[in-house]
Amino acid sequence: MPKNSAGRYWTVLLISFGIVLVAIYVSLTNGVFDMTVIDVLKTLLRIDPVPDHDLVIFDFRLPRIVVAALVGFGLGVAGAAIQGISRNGLADPGILGINAGAGAAIVIFMFFFEGRIAGSGWLSILAMPLFGWIGGLGAAVLIYFFAWRNGRLDPQRLILVGIAAGSGLGALSLYLSLKMNPQDFEMATVWLTGSIWNANWQYIASMLPWLAILVPIIIRKSYILDLLQLGEDSAKSLGVSTEKEKNVLLLSSIGIVSACVSVSGNIGFVGLIAPHIAKRLVGIHHHRVIPVCGTIGMLLVIVSDFIAKTVFSPIELPVGIVISIIGIPYFVYLLFKTKV
């Protein structure tokens, strides 16, 4: 790495974070109900608060922006870790079948409970994300079991099993959704496509502890990801307990993805695109790649959500569709670049 790589890293990180702040500002002030920056500041600082402004910011826009930022950050970090573990630049959190597992669990919940549990407490509010989280973790455990071979976790087998499980769980979701009433079918379809339109502060509280605990673990073990790129035999020769470290990194990634998918639905491509962009900007060392991945993921989801809710107004597209529109051309570009 060149001597100025540290300076370049901090420059990229600060510029990326600055762009994220600009995106947050634009998303807060623009929409069906436009607000000035003065209105936003007065509302946030509680200076002569206006009930209409409170409703728009605290009940609609700000929770949605925070969820978008957390989901983008989590998927970006998890994507970098999964690509590092598998040593496959085309690996993505969705490939592991976690998204499909969460989606199947959500569809089952909607099928039996019609998308809600009676009551007004936290259980009724968090019931759907809780089902999604359990489904994502359950699918991950199942895939992890079948990917374990000869006393070790095979990265390539992990991806193949994940693709197979994802296809099967996706078929189950489609089968159950076709048996729903029209209203629940529409809700399930929007969620499976990826949407954060119903974001609230309870959803934020449900996913924040997972990110606060698991992201630092991945960052702390980022040097392990660098050593794994040398090959497992080389990493072992340097004193790395490869199976133990891969398990910790993979389980941390699975927990992050499950928490994100449980509140946002099946948002793809973020975990694929962010690591590639980050590596082109700051190099291949994961202690720099991972924070930049998180920032790029935040930017992707926040901007995509803003486009989804404003460009096609009064119709609102699921954010997953907008990200796919951005991601598919980039995915094709990666296919040609890597000559897959």
Side-chain angles (χ1 to χ4, degrees), residues 147-308:
W148 190 268
R149 186 180 184 183
N150 298 327
R152 59 187 292 269
L153 181 67
D154 187 335
Q156 302 306 319
R157 188 181 178 90
L158 177 71
I159 293 176
L160 292 174
V161 173
I163 293 173
S167 298
L169 291 168
L172 174 63
S173 300
L174 179 60
Y175 173 77
L176 290 177
S177 62
L178 290 174
K179 292 185 172 295
M180 294 179 176
N181 60 57
Q183 182 179 356
D184 291 336
F185 173 78
E186 181 179 356
M187 183 188 302
T189 302
V190 170
W191 193 92
L192 289 172
T193 307
S195 176
I196 54 177
W197 64 271
N198 60 340
N200 56 56
W201 296 108
Q202 286 84 357
Y203 283 12
I204 295 169
S206 71
M207 67 181 298
L208 195 57
W210 294 94
L211 297 181
I213 294 171
L214 299 178
V215 169
I217 292 176
I218 292 178
I219 293 175
R220 184 179 179 183
K221 292 185 175 294
S222 58
Y223 73 97
I224 299 293
L225 294 171
D226 291 336
L227 295 177
L228 288 175
Q229 306 315 300
L230 303 174
E232 290 197 28
D233 292 336
S234 298
K236 286 180 180 178
S237 68
L238 294 172
V240 177
S241 178
T242 55
E243 293 307 315
K244 175 185 174 183
E245 298 294 351
K246 283 195 300 183
N247 291 342
V248 172
L249 287 165
L250 184 60
L251 291 174
S252 297
S253 301
I254 288 170
I256 291 171
V257 175
S258 298
C260 292
V261 172
S262 69
V263 302
S264 68
N266 188 9
I267 295 180
F269 289 110
V270 175
L272 172 66
I273 297 174
H276 285 275
I277 296 176
K279 288 176 182 177
R280 292 177 68 90
L281 292 174
V282 298
I284 61 174
H285 295 292
H286 283 83
H287 71 281
R288 293 173 179 165
V289 168
I290 290 173
V292 175
C293 276
T295 309
I296 292 173
M298 291 172 63
L299 182 62
L300 278 172
V301 180
I302 291 172
V303 171
S304 297
D305 180 56
F306 177 73
I307 293 172

Side-chain angles (χ1 to χ4, degrees), residues 26 28-36 39-40 53 56 61 310:
V26 173
L28 268 178
T29 56
N30 292 271
V32 177
F33 183 82
D34 288 339
M35 301 176 65
T36 66
D39 293 334
V40 173
H53 294 173
V56 170
R61 291 184 184 173
T310 57

